[in-house]
Amino acid sequence: MNIVTIGGVTVGLCILIATLVQWYPGYRTLKKKPVPFLGQLLPFVLAWAYGVLAILTVGGVVGWIADTALWISNWLGDVALVWGVGGQAGRSANAATYLPLTQTGTALVLILTVGMIVGAKKSKYGSDLKRGSWCGICLGTSAGVAGFAAVPLAQAVNWAGQAAYGVIA
C-alpha cells in the first residue's frame, strides 16, 4: 500500500473543491429546495466512499489500481506543489492506521467495484463516479479522513458482508 503525500492529499482536496464549486446552486436556491440539489451530490459521495474502501483493499487488482491511482496522484500533487507554488515534494502526509477489511468485506468491495465500473460506463453520472472514486482514493488514508470516515466505512462493509454472506452461505 502506498503512503499518501501532501501532494496526494492536495489533489484529493482539489477534486473535492472543484466538485463542490461546480455543484453549488447558490444560497437562496439551496435554502428553498435543498433536497434535489443535495441529491445531485449523491453519486459523487457514494463514489467517494467506494474510493476510500478501494484504497483500504490490501491486495488484488482493485488494491493495485487504487495504489497506482494514489501513486500517480501523489506525483501529480508533488509536481504541482513544487512547480506551482514552490513547495517541497515527497513529504508524507499524516497517515493513520486503518481498519482492515475482512474476507466478506473485501468480497463486498469486489461487488461494489463491478457496480462502479458499470455505473461509470453506462450512467449519466459517470464523470461524478470517476471523480468521487479518485477523490476517495486520495483522501482515504490521510489521517483526518481515515479517522473520520475510513474506519466507520470499513466497519460497515465488514458488517454488511458478514450479514450478506451469513444469510447466503
Side-chain angles (χ1 to χ4, degrees), residues 13 17 20 23 25 30 36 56 73 85 88 92 97 103 110 118 137 139-140 146 160 169:
L13 290 174
I17 294 299
L20 290 176
W23 162 81
L30 197 57
L56 294 179
S73 299
V85 292
Q88 295 179 359
S92 178
T97 57
Q103 187 70 21
L110 179 62
V118 172
I137 287 170
L139 298 178

Side-chain angles (χ1 to χ4, degrees), residues 82-103:
V82 170
W83 291 96
V85 292
Q88 295 179 359
R91 296 196 57 203
S92 178
N94 291 335
T97 57
Y98 57 90
L99 183 68
L101 297 172
T102 62
Q103 187 70 21

Side-chain angles (χ1 to χ4, degrees), residues 61-105:
V61 174
V62 173
W64 179 79
I65 291 170
D67 281 348
T68 302
L70 181 60
W71 176 79
I72 291 169
S73 299
N74 286 338
W75 184 83
L76 288 172
D78 288 344
V79 166
L81 286 173
V82 170
W83 291 96
V85 292
Q88 295 179 359
R91 296 196 57 203
S92 178
N94 291 335
T97 57
Y98 57 90
L99 183 68
L101 297 172
T102 62
Q103 187 70 21
T104 55

Side-chain angles (χ1 to χ4, degrees), residues 124-168:
K124 70 178 183 177
Y125 302 108
S127 64
D128 290 333
L129 296 176
K130 292 172 190 173
R131 282 184 293 154
S133 297
W134 188 12
C135 183
I137 287 170
C138 291
L139 298 178
T141 56
S142 65
V145 176
F148 175 70
V151 171
L153 280 172
Q155 288 175 338
V157 167
N158 287 340
W159 175 83
Q162 181 64 38
Y165 282 94
V167 170
I168 296 170

